Amino acid sequence: MRRTTALGSAGTLIAGTLVVGALAAPAANADSNRQLRDAESIGVAVAAARAAQSGIDWQDCPEDWGLEKPIQCGWVTVPVDYAKPNGKKIKIAVDRIGATGTPAERQGALLYNPGGPGGSGLRFPRRVTTKNAIWANTAKAYDFVGFDPRGVGHSAPISCADPTEFVKGPKADPVPDTEADKLAQRKLAAEYADGCAERSGDILPYINTLNTARDLDVVRAALGEKKLNYVGVSYGTYLGAVYGTLFPGHVRRMVLDSVVNPSTRKIWYEVNLDQDIAFEGRLKDWMAWVAQNDAAYHLGDTYEEVRQQWETLRAAAKKEPLGGKVGPAELVGFFQNAPYYDSMWKPVAEAWSAYAAGDPQPLIDSAASDPSDVAGNTSAENGNAVYTAVECNDNRWPTSWRKWDRDNSRLHEQYPFMTWSNAWMNLPCATWSAPRQTAVQVKTGKGLPPVLIAQSERDAATPYAGAVELHKRFKGSRLITEKDAGSHGITNLLNPCLNTKVEAYLVGGKLDATDQTCAPHATPKP
């Protein structure tokens, strides 16, 4: 779940094409909304049948989408409200590149979601055009298909704030010094929630994981695929888990990488609290690596010395924002990249090292927003809007400020790096005006095949317990653990142990008889 700068803090996704086939998919849960869910199940069947009949009119992609030939783009029409399949419609942007192997090798389409909520999957086919070696054999078997989920990018995008104002810095320090600081952040969060309702009101209640999973099934049908082949990363794992629960008989192969804990108790308030703890642990891993490489970075030769350098930097930016642009909120927004991704260990350390050596510009350039980047800022604001809408709409959230204050104050004492940033980013859900869903009880349904789960042991954004929980819920699944590693999104990293197992599953349908452990991918070298 990629986080971006938000509010006053840094925080930062098809099968039988006949109606009867779609109707075979069970409704989500037998609860007070059962009648609505049944209507939505019928609506999915109707929309999927229409999509199967019309297909996708593939064309060269628009120039400003940044997708080179031979990637093609198209649209799939879906209802805004699946309970009203004849009502208002939106179009989902999709793209594809054909399988590179022989006709005999081709196994259909492979769909991809990179996470978020709010991430675009349209760059997935570029793993072929950029000759990504990890995916070369899989690309022989499948068309690589990406899409913008509803609300994202080119798929009826939503907004909650003016993009220029959204990215403007420096923002207030996310760690409050006084009750007045907390009150100011609460006001910003409530204003953001109101902005979502004002700027995206008509479609806002329908931006949720359930509807995105339904869209995914309509896309499957539009592609002419009897069953879904899918790779989901981060939030994409929760989307996949919900899809597998709603449409178990429509799944052919599914890889879920870096898993959101699907427990209804965890979605989404506690998922974010768990992140705060995990980020602190992975930050320590990175800072220990910086200390081990003190000859390169000169930031201290012990974890404690490096951590003190961070505290000193943070305090200096609070007193006087770097370049007038980078305060503590912006620093957290940049530095959190290192706990997220091992690929960011060196860039963050290098910018920090330059600052310590007397050159603050690399750090300022990396952490500050760029008002002139209109497209980038619009995308960032849109991504955050979808993130907020999906998480707020998916389940009930605490509305009591006392609970938010108590939980985050307690966590901050031991896990100060991300706790308050994360809290302010999610606080709009406390005053959210759109109707809430009841979180899906993720479980194994009739026809669900074995699912492959991949997880690094020390992942910060999606802690390891989430993979264990999903593994329990999806019977017959296999869990591959990358031991002593913590990068987020590991199926696109070079680790032959993991790469060969994922490829064997996607290309040959082969799974190990038991869960497996892989040694970690290579640690970055300065």
Side-chain angles (χ1 to χ4, degrees), residues 54-311:
S54 61
I56 301 172
D57 181 18
W58 295 108
Q59 304 285 342
D60 289 343
C61 298
E63 288 188 14
D64 60 352
W65 287 21
L67 301 167
E68 64 273 24
K69 295 178 182 180
I71 298 171
Q72 294 179 304
C73 292
W75 305 92
V76 176
T77 300
V78 300
V80 171
D81 180 356
Y82 277 96
K84 300 175 181 177
N86 296 319
K88 185 177 180 181
K89 309 287 198 305
I90 56 174
K91 292 184 181 296
I92 302 299
V94 295
D95 67 343
R96 73 167 181 184
I97 192 166
T100 61
T102 66
E105 290 176 298
R106 185 179 178 276
Q107 299 184 41
L110 178 64
L111 281 85
Y112 177 79
N113 180 272
S120 168
L122 291 179
R123 295 182 68 80
F124 180 54
R126 298 197 72 246
R127 293 189 183 180
V128 179
T129 59
T130 60
K131 303 186 186 306
N132 186 315
I134 293 171
W135 293 89
N137 287 332
T138 303
K140 293 179 181 179
Y142 295 99
D143 304 341
F144 279 16
V145 177
F147 68 103
D148 276 350
R150 61 169 56 206
V152 175
H154 305 292
S155 298
I158 66 168
S159 173
C160 293
D162 176 80
T164 303
E165 292 299 315
F166 174 77
V167 302
K168 185 182 294 184
K171 301 187 186 301
D173 186 346
V175 177
D177 292 322
T178 65
E179 290 301 313
D181 290 343
K182 293 178 182 179
L183 189 60
Q185 294 281 13
R186 291 171 63 189
K187 182 180 178 182
L188 286 171
E191 289 173 350
Y192 188 81
D194 290 343
C196 293
E198 291 166 5
R199 297 171 71 97
S200 306
D202 290 346
I203 194 175
L204 190 67
Y206 303 101
I207 305 294
N208 57 57
T209 302
L210 274 166
N211 281 333
T212 303
R214 293 168 180 137
D215 294 344
L216 186 55
D217 202 55
V218 178
V219 172
R220 171 201 58 76
L223 289 165
E225 297 292 321
K226 187 175 182 180
K227 294 196 175 187
L228 178 74
N229 303 292
Y230 175 81
V231 175
V233 181
S234 193
Y235 166 74
T237 66
Y238 185 60
L239 176 59
V242 171
Y243 182 92
T245 301
L246 293 178
F247 308 103
H250 293 188
V251 179
R252 180 175 179 263
R253 289 178 194 157
M254 180 177 284
V255 176
L256 302 179
D257 168 8
S258 304
V259 180
V260 172
N261 194 319
S263 165
T264 56
R265 181 175 62 86
K266 293 289 187 178
I267 298 293
W268 282 99
Y269 179 74
E270 289 193 13
V271 161
N272 283 282
L273 297 181
D274 291 344
Q275 276 189 333
D276 301 335
I277 298 170
F279 262 99
E280 202 73 35
R282 193 59 180 164
L283 181 75
K284 186 173 183 178
D285 292 347
W286 171 63
M287 288 185 171
W289 174 85
V290 172
Q292 291 165 9
N293 293 284
D294 185 52
Y297 301 121
H298 311 292
L299 292 165
D301 60 8
T302 66
Y303 160 74
E304 289 77 14
E305 289 179 355
V306 175
R307 184 67 187 234
Q308 185 54 54
Q309 284 272 27
W310 160 251
E311 300 299 341

